[in-house]
Amino acid sequence: MKIIITGALGHIGSYLIRKLPDFFQSPEIIMIDNLSTQRYSSLFDLPQNAKYQFIEADVTNEDANWDHLFQGANIAIHLAAITNAAASFDHAKEVERVNLTATQKVASACAKHNVAMIMA
């Protein structure tokens, strides 16, 4: 099972990367995160019964080519987002870029490679 997680070091993602090996035998977990939450410690002491790959990247990057990551993947869990609702009114364009445009980019990559997508 090859699983891609965007926003992998955020609040939900950092929990999920540790729990997925409990449900899938020896999963390959591709973690994509731009480190904006500075949760570097989420990468320490990961379970040994999974194969992890961390990619420091921003899913909003227009030039990024995700084809090689999505090839052969079974599922993508898209968690990369701006979640501060109160502050989002002051940063509407940034919220749209991250929460809408990046989601469309991930969804397109999933559709192209026939990868199921879960979005929280």
Side-chain angles (χ1 to χ4, degrees), residues 34 57-67 93-106 108-109:
N34 66 0
D58 190 330
V59 295
T60 65
N61 183 343
E62 294 294 322
D63 298 326
N65 183 347
W66 306 109
D67 277 354
K93 291 224 184 273
E94 180 67 5
V95 171
E96 181 178 342
R97 186 177 73 84
V98 174
N99 294 7
L100 176 63
T101 307
T103 299
Q104 290 171 327
K105 184 173 183 167
V106 172
S108 292

Side-chain angles (χ1 to χ4, degrees), residues 2 64-72 108-109 112-113:
K2 180 177 176 182
N65 183 347
W66 306 109
D67 277 354
H68 66 287
L69 295 177
F70 283 83
Q71 289 176 352
S108 292
K112 180 178 180 181
H113 295 284

Side-chain angles (χ1 to χ4, degrees), residues 38-114:
Q38 299 182 5
R39 289 181 167 222
Y40 308 101
S41 60
S42 296
L43 294 171
F44 301 138
D45 298 322
L46 291 169
Q48 296 296 310
N49 57 337
K51 179 183 174 189
Y52 290 97
Q53 179 182 358
F54 176 71
I55 299 168
E56 181 181 356
D58 190 330
V59 295
T60 65
N61 183 343
E62 294 294 322
D63 298 326
N65 183 347
W66 306 109
D67 277 354
H68 66 287
L69 295 177
F70 283 83
Q71 289 176 352
N74 300 94
I75 192 162
I77 303 171
H78 180 53
L79 301 172
I82 294 174
T83 59
N84 184 341
S88 66
F89 293 103
D90 296 331
H91 306 284
K93 291 224 184 273
E94 180 67 5
V95 171
E96 181 178 342
R97 186 177 73 84
V98 174
N99 294 7
L100 176 63
T101 307
T103 299
Q104 290 171 327
K105 184 173 183 167
V106 172
S108 292
C110 287
K112 180 178 180 181
H113 295 284
N114 199 29

Side-chain angles (χ1 to χ4, degrees), residues 11-24:
H11 183 70
I12 297 170
S14 61
Y15 177 80
L16 192 60
I17 62 176
R18 295 177 177 287
K19 287 302 189 180
L20 284 172
D22 293 343
F23 299 96
F24 301 101

